[in-house]
């Protein structure tokens, strides 16, 4: 079974397409990681700023969770369209996104983790995103990192000078 990390980015879509082209018919689990609101606020250092504006952070968490479920289902649909046997799954971010992906890969005993080279967050100018880099550094199983066509085009243009 292949675990595909999916956040809706072009790179994540390219990762699904790559698996479909290179491993047609493979069984994949499309994983989207979501983060509870209070964890987001604490990580950003704005915990005290937003707390007074929300009467119920559970509502925000429910919306975040629902959004993750929808994104994972979207990824699973793309995987099915690419000729894969797909299920969707979400995971709550406890530490980092990469840690959540690694935890789910271990729980599912995934044979391979596939991810885009960069996701929806972070500085777009880096060669590898922080999640893909962390997966490569800490995984106990193979990891494939797939860039989007736009990233490939940009890298080829830079290489040609």
């Amino acid at each position: 079974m292949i675990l595909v990390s999916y956040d809706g980015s072009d790179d994540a879509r390219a990762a699904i397409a790559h698996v479909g082209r290179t491993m047609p018919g493979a069984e994949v689990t499309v994983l989207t990681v979501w983060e509870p609101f209070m964890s987001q606020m604490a990580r950003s250092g704005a915990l005290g700023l937003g707390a007074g504006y929300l009467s119920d952070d559970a509502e925000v968490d429910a919306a975040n969770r629902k959004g993750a479920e929808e994104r994972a289902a979207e990824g699973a649909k793309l995987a099915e369209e690419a000729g894969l046997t797909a299920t969707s799954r979400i995971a709550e971010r406890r530490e980092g996104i990469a840690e959540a992906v690694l935890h789910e890969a271990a729980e599912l005993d995934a044979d391979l983790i596939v991810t885009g080279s960069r996701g929806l967050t972070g500085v777009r100018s880096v060669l590898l995103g922080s999640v893909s880099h962390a997966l490569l550094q800490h995984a106990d199983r193979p990891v494939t990192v797939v860039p989007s066509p736009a990233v490939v085009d940009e890298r080829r243009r830079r290489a040609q000078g």
Side-chain angles (χ1 to χ4, degrees), residues 55-144:
S55 60
D56 188 6
D57 59 306
E59 287 179 37
V60 176
D61 285 349
N64 286 344
R65 183 182 181 91
K66 184 174 190 268
E69 289 169 348
E70 290 169 356
R71 225 170 3 269
E74 169 191 275
K77 182 178 182 222
L78 290 172
E80 291 281 342
E81 291 169 357
L84 303 165
T85 303
T87 58
S88 63
R89 184 178 180 107
I90 64 167
E92 181 179 329
R93 175 182 176 164
R94 293 175 188 89
E95 294 177 21
I97 293 170
E99 289 80 2
V101 172
L102 293 171
H103 175 81
E104 295 299 313
E107 189 167 299
L108 294 168
D109 195 25
D111 298 306
L112 172 68
I113 299 169
V114 180
T115 188
S117 59
R118 295 183 291 190
L120 293 174
T121 60
V123 178
R124 298 294 299 177
S125 62
V126 295
L127 291 175
L128 273 181
S130 59
V131 173
S132 56
H133 182 77
L135 290 172
L136 288 169
Q137 294 299 312
H138 301 288
D140 62 353
R141 62 200 71 233
V143 175
T144 298

Side-chain angles (χ1 to χ4, degrees), residues 19-54:
V19 175
R21 278 190 315 276
T22 59
M23 296 172 252
E27 178 187 345
V28 300
T29 297
V30 178
L31 174 70
T32 298
V33 178
W34 72 281
E35 184 174 22
F37 177 73
M38 294 308 280
S39 296
Q40 290 174 15
M41 296 298 285
R43 187 173 45 82
S44 69
L47 187 59
L49 297 175
Y53 293 103
L54 292 174

